[in-house]
Amino acid sequence: DVEMTFRSPLCGSVMSKSPVTLYRKNFSSRYELSREHQILEYLGQRQAPVPPVVMSHAELAYLDMHHGGPDLKAWLSSSALTSQEVTETLAQAIDALIKTAQLNVWHFDVALRNFVVHEPANSTQASVWLIDFGNAICPHFTLQKPLWMRPHFHQHPLLQAALTKDWQQFYERHGLVQPPDWHTSFDIPN
């Protein structure tokens, strides 16, 4: 555990002082770090159920964030859960997806491992956080897609539109000739 003091940038008062367990997520590139950090901060500022980011280090490509707890798969495997606890927790997981989608963040990697059950020390009520936004897209940020994703007719129209817009901006930014049809194969320049 790491003891941290969080201060409000607006009034300088102490908001919380309690032991906090941190989770460090390493990234293979600064691009991936930047994408996930932007999305987590955007969602966190809008009270979406995601882990708060404590620190980001661009040169070493990692994020430190609050450790939520066990993932949903491990939590569901634990014994002594009532059907009411399971129902309420699964409802929170669905609510987390709905809240992020309402904020125009599309996760695209929905799995039990990407939800954590957060049980704060000073609360009897657990909450569910959505984690791992490595495959997520968000139209509020340019180039907010995994680089391997290209628009395709079988994708949801919102995903197609976001990917097409991102690739158009990428090609414009680099002064490249754009493909005539974004839904067919095109080369990705280095």
Side-chain angles (χ1 to χ4, degrees):
D1 290 354
V2 177
E3 186 162 328
M4 305 186 76
T5 302
F6 298 95
R7 297 190 182 277
S8 168
L10 300 176
C11 63
S13 63
V14 174
M15 294 170 55
S16 170
K17 185 175 183 177
S18 60
V20 174
T21 303
L22 298 179
Y23 170 73
R24 176 165 289 174
K25 182 171 181 181
N26 295 300
F27 296 86
S28 59
S29 72
R30 285 189 276 180
Y31 173 80
E32 291 171 353
L33 163 71
S34 174
R35 297 184 66 249
E36 189 144 350
H37 189 190
Q38 276 187 317
I39 290 172
L40 283 169
E41 289 292 345
Y42 170 78
L43 291 171
Q45 290 167 0
R46 288 152 184 82
Q47 287 74 48
V50 297
V53 173
V54 175
M55 187 175 84
S56 173
H57 195 295
E59 290 301 315
L60 299 177
Y62 70 79
L63 276 178
D64 282 343
M65 58 192 102
H66 285 244
H67 186 276
D71 69 36
L72 200 49
K73 183 176 181 178
W75 186 85
L76 288 168
S77 299
S78 66
S79 59
L81 295 174
T82 67
S83 60
Q84 182 177 350
E85 288 174 314
V86 171
T87 302
E88 289 173 1
T89 303
L90 291 176
Q92 285 187 47
I94 292 167
D95 189 50
L97 284 171
I98 291 169
K99 285 179 182 175
T100 57
Q102 287 171 336
L103 293 167
N104 284 323
V105 175
W106 303 93
H107 194 277
F108 289 108
D109 189 15
V110 179
L112 293 176
R113 72 181 181 281
N114 287 330
F115 295 92
V116 293
V117 180
H118 177 63
E119 300 180 76
N122 58 352
S123 174
T124 58
Q125 180 65 34
S127 58
V128 176
W129 289 347
L130 185 56
I131 62 169
D132 193 0
F133 288 85
N135 290 329
I137 62 164
C138 177
H140 302 299
F141 307 112
T142 57
L143 293 178
Q144 281 299 308
K145 68 182 172 325
L147 285 174
W148 50 265
M149 290 184 80
R150 297 180 185 147
H152 196 274
F153 291 115
H154 73 276
Q155 296 163 330
H156 189 281
L158 288 174
L159 176 58
Q160 283 184 50
L163 292 173
T164 300
K165 181 180 173 185
D166 276 356
W167 282 113
Q168 287 170 339
Q169 290 174 347
F170 177 86
Y171 272 70
E172 284 175 22
R173 182 176 296 121
H174 295 286
L176 302 170
V177 176
Q178 297 189 18
D181 181 4
W182 291 100
H183 293 88
T184 60
S185 253
F186 58 90
D187 290 329
I188 300 173
N190 293 338

